[in-house]
């Protein structure tokens, strides 16, 4: 199966499995998505959603977040991994947004990556989900699945992003990213992929298929 055929098969099969693909983080604004994504590093979306449900009651936007004390943010997110650094980044990023962008989240990767605690993956998540940009955020699921099934052969997330962007049609990029994440989260799991339940098994090159 050629790469274009593989992409078409995956898009059709996972499109049927996930007809309305979207981020599983809860948010209402670009700022809230930014905060949730920053918190999601080394954590689960479920855990992040539990924390932001309370955090956003206290600070739903950059202006209100920037006025919080650092210790208050720490206390509200203390149950998440690396909460000390994440609290510092949330406060610093919110303050920067207020001072430089009137509290609004910028819609360019260059400006997003200037915010404290925001790297390329986080910037791509915001650009894709909040602003509809055809970019490819690469997390562990996207990197693992795209290599396992034979879409790419790469050793790091940045190379995975670059290679996927070369082969996936622009109009499919946003949904395709969600397909890879959801497929990796629920079917093509890291330690024990559920190959017997996989809707794209015929398009998969994984030599360790388990049935």
């Amino acid at each position: 199966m050629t790469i274009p055929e593989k992409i078409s098969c995956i898009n059709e099969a996972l499109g049927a499995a996930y007809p309305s693909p979207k981020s599983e983080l809860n948010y209402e604004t670009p700022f809230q998505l930014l905060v949730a994504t920053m918190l999601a590093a080394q954590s689960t979306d479920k855990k992040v959603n539990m924390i932001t449900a309370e955090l956003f009651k206290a600070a739903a936007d950059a202006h209100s977040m920037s006025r919080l004390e650092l210790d208050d943010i720490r206390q509200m997110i203390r149950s998440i991994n690396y909460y000390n650094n994440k609290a510092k980044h949330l406060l610093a990023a919110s303050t920067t947004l207020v001072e430089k962008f009137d509290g609004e989240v910028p819609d360019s990767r260059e400006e997003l990556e200037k915010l404290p605690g925001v790297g390329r993956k986080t910037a791509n998540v915001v650009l894709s989900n909040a602003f509809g940009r055809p970019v490819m955020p690469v997390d562990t699921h996207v990197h693992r699945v795209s290599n396992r099934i034979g879409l790419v052969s790469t050793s790091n997330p940045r190379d995975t992003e670059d290679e996927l962007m070369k082969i996936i049609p622009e109009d499919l990029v946003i949904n395709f990213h969600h397909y890879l994440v959801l497929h990796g989260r629920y079917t093509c799991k890291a330690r024990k992929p559920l190959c017997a339940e996989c809707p794209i098994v015929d398009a998969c090159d994984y030599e360790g298929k388990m049935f």
Side-chain angles (χ1 to χ4, degrees), residues 133-145:
R133 300 292 178 80
V135 296
M136 179 60 68
V138 176
D139 64 359
T140 56
H141 297 302
V142 172
H143 180 66
R144 179 183 71 255
V145 172

Side-chain angles (χ1 to χ4, degrees), residues 91-146:
L91 182 57
S94 299
T95 300
T96 300
L97 287 174
V98 170
E99 293 177 348
K100 295 187 177 181
F101 301 99
D102 196 29
E104 299 298 321
V105 174
D107 62 355
S108 78
R109 182 186 288 113
E110 181 181 5
E111 297 296 345
L112 282 166
E113 290 187 15
K114 291 179 181 178
L115 298 174
V118 176
R120 186 178 183 87
K121 186 189 77 173
T122 296
N124 278 345
V125 169
V126 174
L127 290 171
S128 176
N129 290 278
F131 298 111
R133 300 292 178 80
V135 296
M136 179 60 68
V138 176
D139 64 359
T140 56
H141 297 302
V142 172
H143 180 66
R144 179 183 71 255
V145 172
S146 59

Side-chain angles (χ1 to χ4, degrees), residues 8-152:
S8 178
C9 177
I10 293 170
N11 186 65
E12 182 177 352
L14 294 186
Y18 304 105
S20 300
K22 63 180 181 178
S23 171
E24 294 189 309
L25 293 171
N26 294 334
Y27 65 94
E28 294 182 357
T29 66
F31 173 75
Q32 292 181 4
L33 174 61
L34 175 65
V35 169
T37 307
M38 292 170 69
L39 290 173
Q42 304 299 314
S43 188
T44 65
D45 288 0
K46 182 178 180 180
K47 183 66 174 179
V48 172
N49 289 338
M50 292 173 60
I51 290 173
T52 56
E54 297 303 316
L55 179 62
F56 293 154
K57 290 179 182 178
D61 54 45
H63 290 279
S64 53
M65 185 79 73
S66 70
R67 292 193 292 266
L68 292 179
E69 296 294 330
L70 180 58
D71 284 343
D72 292 333
I73 299 177
R74 284 197 187 107
Q75 284 301 308
M76 285 185 279
I77 70 170
R78 67 186 182 279
S79 62
I80 205 164
N81 294 332
Y82 309 110
Y83 71 92
N84 275 316
N85 280 338
K86 289 179 179 180
K88 293 176 183 177
H89 289 152
L90 290 182
L91 182 57
S94 299
T95 300
T96 300
L97 287 174
V98 170
E99 293 177 348
K100 295 187 177 181
F101 301 99
D102 196 29
E104 299 298 321
V105 174
D107 62 355
S108 78
R109 182 186 288 113
E110 181 181 5
E111 297 296 345
L112 282 166
E113 290 187 15
K114 291 179 181 178
L115 298 174
V118 176
R120 186 178 183 87
K121 186 189 77 173
T122 296
N124 278 345
V125 169
V126 174
L127 290 171
S128 176
N129 290 278
F131 298 111
R133 300 292 178 80
V135 296
M136 179 60 68
V138 176
D139 64 359
T140 56
H141 297 302
V142 172
H143 180 66
R144 179 183 71 255
V145 172
S146 59
N147 275 274
R148 179 182 277 170
I149 66 180
L151 280 178
V152 300

Side-chain angles (χ1 to χ4, degrees), residues 130-194:
F131 298 111
R133 300 292 178 80
V135 296
M136 179 60 68
V138 176
D139 64 359
T140 56
H141 297 302
V142 172
H143 180 66
R144 179 183 71 255
V145 172
S146 59
N147 275 274
R148 179 182 277 170
I149 66 180
L151 280 178
V152 300
S153 179
T154 54
S155 59
N156 62 75
R158 180 56 194 273
D159 286 346
T160 300
E161 176 188 340
D162 290 343
E163 292 305 308
L164 287 174
M165 290 300 293
K166 291 177 183 177
I167 62 176
I168 299 172
E170 185 174 298
D171 62 323
L172 301 183
V173 167
I174 293 177
N175 281 353
F176 210 92
H177 161 257
H178 291 304
Y179 294 152
L180 293 175
V181 171
L182 294 168
H183 188 59
R185 185 170 291 164
Y186 297 113
T187 303
C188 195
K189 300 179 180 182
R191 294 187 179 181
K192 191 176 181 180
L194 306 178

